Amino acid sequence: MVMLVYFLLLALVVPGVATPLVTIIVSRHGIRTPYPPGGEGNLTKESMAQYTTKSFPPCWPPGPESSGVWGSSITAGLTPHGGEQIRLMGRWMGTSNFSGVSCDDVAVYADISSSRDNETATNWTLGAFPTCKALHQEEVIKGDAKQVLFNDGSNQELCGFQSSKVIQSFLGGGKYEALLNAWKSQIQLVDSVVHCCSSELCPGHLPCNLSSLPIKYTGKFWAATEGAFDIAVFWAEFFLLEYLNGNPQYAQGQLGVSDLVDLYRMAVENIEIMDDHFASRSFESTMASHILGTLLQAAERKPIPGLSHSQNTKVVYMAGHDTNLILLRLLLGLRWQSHGWAQNGVAPGGMLIFELEQRQEGGPVVSIYFQVAQPAQLREGQPFSEPQAPSRVQVAITDCPGDPFACPLDAFKKMVISKLRPECIGIPALRDLVENHGAGSVPWPAQYWWTFLLTGLAAFLLGAAISWFIKKRRSSSLSSGYSSQELTS
C-alpha cells in the first residue's frame, strides 16, 4: 500500500506528465454502399452494365434485391456493418480515452446534409458514451447544412478551385497519357476482373477496354476527369467496400486484400487532383480555424465566438468526409502511415485526432494522431482489445518550430494562421479570431514595432547616461587643480 501511494505521488511530480484539456476527432464516415460510376444518380444494374461485359451476382450493385448482402439499398448510405464498426471504435475509445468524461462535456458536429454522417456520429457516441442517451439522437448534432464547416468543394460561395489550367497541369495535360500510364498496371488489373466496356463507350476504338476509354476533363469537385481513370477508381472503391462490408464475395473472388489496398490509392489520388494544396486553403480554412478556436478556448477557459460548444467541453467529435481529412492533411503539411493501408490512406472510419495537453513544465501543447481500423478488422467486425487495437500513429507537426510531437499551443496557433485564407472562413466570428490573432502573418518590422520603440528608448537613455558620466568625470578632473597641459603631459 505504501509503495502504491509512493508511485501515485511520483506520477504527479514527474516532469512532462500531461493532463488532457480537450480532444478533437475529425472522422470520416463509416463503411457505405458505393456511389454509381461518375458519382451521380442511383446505382443500378443498368447504370453499371456499360462498364462491364460480365454477369455479376445479385450483390452487384446494392439494391432492393441485394439488401441482404449489403444490408442497405441506399446509394452511398452507411451500411449496418459500417454502423457497427463505428460503434466498436467508439466503445474502444470511450474505455481507453474518455472514461472520465461526462455526458455534458461532449460536443458532436456533422455535415447534416448527409444522412450517413449523422448516422456515423450517433453510432460513435452510442459506442463511446453508452449511458449518454441524449448524445445518441441526431437532434443534438451541431449541424452544417450549407457545408461551410465540412466543405468538400461543394460550397464555393467564398472561395473556389484553381483554374482548370492549373488542375490540368497536375494531370499531365494533353490527352492524359501520363495519367493513364502512371496507373496502367492498376487499371489493367481492374479490367481483368470486370472486362470493361460496352462498345457504346468508345466508338471506333477496338478493343473497347478500360485502358482505351477516352479521358475527358470535367473539373467536378469530386472528380477532375471522366473516362478510364475515373471508372477504374469506381471499381477499385467498389471492390474495397465489398470486402470491408463483410460481403461473402468481393472482386469476383479474383483479388487479394493487398490488391484492394493498392487499388484504393487511386481513389485518394483522384480526390487530391481537385482537392490539392490550393484547394485546402479555400475549403478547409473554416475547419482548421474551428479546430484552432477549440484548442484556444480549452486553454484559456473562456468562450470563443463562432464555436457552438463551451469552454468546458472535453471531447469534440466531427463526422465528415474523406475529403476533409485529405484537405486538413494538405493544409497542415501532415503525413501518416497506418497499419494495413497505403501511406496517407483515409479508409472508412479513419480519424485525425488533435489533443491538447497541459504539461506540468511549460504551457499547453498540441499532439496529432491518425487512427483507423485495419482492413481485416473492418471486415470481421470484432470488438477491439489490447492485442487487437486499431492502428493509432502519432503524426509529426512538421512546421512546428518546437517539438513536432508536442507543439506549444502558441507556436501551433501561429503555424495554422499562417496557412489560412481568412476570406475563405465561412464562420464570421472565426474569421475575426484568425485576423485578431494574425500578428504572425504581419511582415517582421511591423510585427515588432514595439521592440524598435523600446530599443530606441533604451539606446537614448544609455547615451544620455554615458554623456552625463563623461561630463561628470571632466568636471571632477578640472576641480582637482591640474591644468589641461599637465593632464595631457
Side-chain angles (χ1 to χ4, degrees):
M1 183 65 182
V2 174
M3 290 298 293
L4 176 61
V5 173
Y6 170 77
F7 283 117
L8 288 174
L9 291 174
L10 183 63
L12 293 175
V13 298
V14 173
V17 174
T19 302
L21 297 176
V22 69
T23 301
I24 307 167
I25 303 163
V26 184
S27 174
R28 183 192 171 180
H29 56 72
I31 302 164
R32 57 166 173 78
T33 56
Y35 276 108
E40 296 178 293
N42 292 318
L43 191 61
T44 65
K45 291 182 179 179
E46 290 73 24
S47 66
M48 295 175 64
Q50 58 184 330
Y51 301 106
T52 176
T53 57
K54 297 193 71 173
S55 176
F56 291 110
C59 61
W60 292 50
E65 297 178 2
S66 65
S67 58
V69 178
W70 287 90
S72 174
S73 61
I74 301 173
T75 295
L78 188 72
T79 68
H81 184 78
E84 174 62 19
Q85 278 299 302
I86 293 295
R87 288 195 296 276
L88 292 174
M89 181 66 81
R91 185 187 306 171
W92 167 257
M93 298 179 73
T95 302
S96 303
N97 307 105
F98 308 129
S99 58
V101 177
S102 68
C103 302
D104 293 335
D105 292 340
V106 181
V108 183
Y109 291 79
D111 174 4
I112 60 173
S113 64
S114 170
S115 61
R116 65 174 178 268
D117 293 351
N118 286 340
E119 294 172 19
T120 295
T122 55
N123 276 285
W124 187 85
T125 54
L126 182 62
F129 303 97
T131 62
C132 302
K133 294 184 179 180
L135 293 176
H136 309 159
Q137 309 300 316
E138 292 188 5
E139 289 75 16
V140 304
I141 297 176
K142 304 178 190 305
D144 180 33
K146 293 185 177 180
Q147 292 182 299
V148 173
L149 186 57
F150 296 93
N151 199 348
D152 55 3
S154 56
N155 186 330
Q156 300 180 41
E157 294 180 5
L158 295 177
C159 297
F161 291 100
Q162 285 292 306
S163 69
S164 60
K165 186 176 182 180
V166 170
I167 295 172
Q168 290 190 69
S169 72
F170 303 147
L171 297 168
K175 295 182 179 180
Y176 309 109
E177 295 95 339
L179 177 67
L180 192 64
N181 289 329
W183 297 96
K184 185 176 181 179
S185 61
Q186 287 85 357
I187 293 173
Q188 290 178 342
L189 183 60
V190 169
D191 212 4
S192 70
V193 177
V194 300
H195 294 189
C196 188
C197 309
S198 66
S199 58
E200 63 187 74
L201 290 182
C202 37
H205 297 282
L206 293 175
C208 183
N209 54 36
L210 199 53
S211 298
S212 65
L213 202 62
I215 298 178
K216 299 179 182 178
Y217 177 79
T218 60
K220 296 175 181 177
F221 71 86
W222 64 87
T225 66
E226 63 180 24
F229 182 67
D230 183 58
I231 298 305
V233 167
F234 159 74
W235 284 117
E237 190 174 56
F238 196 107
F239 299 155
L240 180 66
L241 290 172
E242 283 186 302
Y243 173 79
L244 298 182
N245 194 56
N247 294 9
Q249 179 173 287
Y250 56 89
Q252 287 290 81
Q254 297 184 34
L255 301 179
V257 179
S258 60
D259 295 321
L260 304 184
V261 172
D262 180 66
L263 291 176
Y264 185 60
R265 291 188 301 116
M266 288 194 295
V268 177
E269 177 72 17
N270 190 44
I271 294 173
E272 288 191 24
I273 293 171
M274 293 296 295
D275 294 320
D276 55 15
H277 288 84
F278 295 107
S280 69
R281 301 186 69 204
S282 293
F283 305 123
E284 211 64 14
S285 285
T286 303
M287 174 74 80
S289 65
H290 195 279
I291 292 170
L292 177 60
T294 297
L295 297 173
L296 294 174
Q297 179 174 262
E300 298 170 2
R301 291 298 183 200
K302 61 181 182 181
I304 287 185
L307 302 178
S308 299
H309 57 275
S310 76
Q311 67 269 27
N312 298 319
T313 302
K314 300 294 185 182
V315 177
V316 178
Y317 182 81
M318 311 179 78
H321 315 290
D322 50 0
T323 315
N324 297 123
L325 296 177
I326 290 172
L327 289 172
L328 272 175
R329 177 177 65 79
L330 294 173
L331 180 67
L332 300 180
L334 309 175
R335 60 188 296 178
W336 54 76
Q337 181 67 67
S338 302
H339 290 290
W341 298 100
Q343 187 179 84
N344 301 324
V346 285
M351 51 184 63
L352 195 60
I353 302 172
F354 298 79
E355 291 186 353
L356 183 69
E357 299 173 336
Q358 178 64 55
R359 294 294 171 90
Q360 291 185 358
E361 291 185 359
V365 297
V366 180
S367 300
I368 303 179
Y369 302 86
F370 188 80
Q371 184 168 302
V372 67
Q374 298 180 48
Q377 291 174 325
L378 287 170
R379 178 173 175 81
E380 294 165 5
Q382 298 297 319
F384 298 107
S385 62
E386 283 295 341
Q388 296 294 329
S391 174
R392 178 183 171 98
V393 294
Q394 188 159 13
V395 179
I397 307 173
T398 53
D399 289 336
C400 179
D403 186 344
F405 298 112
C407 186
L409 178 58
D410 189 60
F412 184 79
K413 177 189 71 175
K414 293 177 181 177
M415 182 204 76
V416 171
I417 289 177
S418 71
K419 296 173 179 291
L420 304 182
R421 289 181 62 188
E423 68 274 18
C424 300
I425 299 176
I427 301 176
L430 292 179
R431 186 185 312 128
D432 294 339
L433 171 73
V434 168
E435 291 178 339
N436 291 337
H437 284 78
S441 61
V442 178
W444 186 82
Q447 178 182 353
Y448 295 104
W449 62 268
W450 52 271
T451 304
F452 290 106
L453 178 62
L454 292 178
T455 302
L457 180 60
F460 172 77
L461 293 175
L462 179 62
I466 294 174
S467 177
W468 175 84
F469 180 75
I470 292 174
K471 289 181 179 179
K472 186 71 174 177
R473 289 292 302 271
R474 286 178 177 174
S475 175
S476 175
S477 298
L478 292 174
S479 63
S480 64
Y482 292 98
S483 66
S484 60
Q485 290 180 345
E486 291 173 319
L487 289 172
T488 57
S489 62

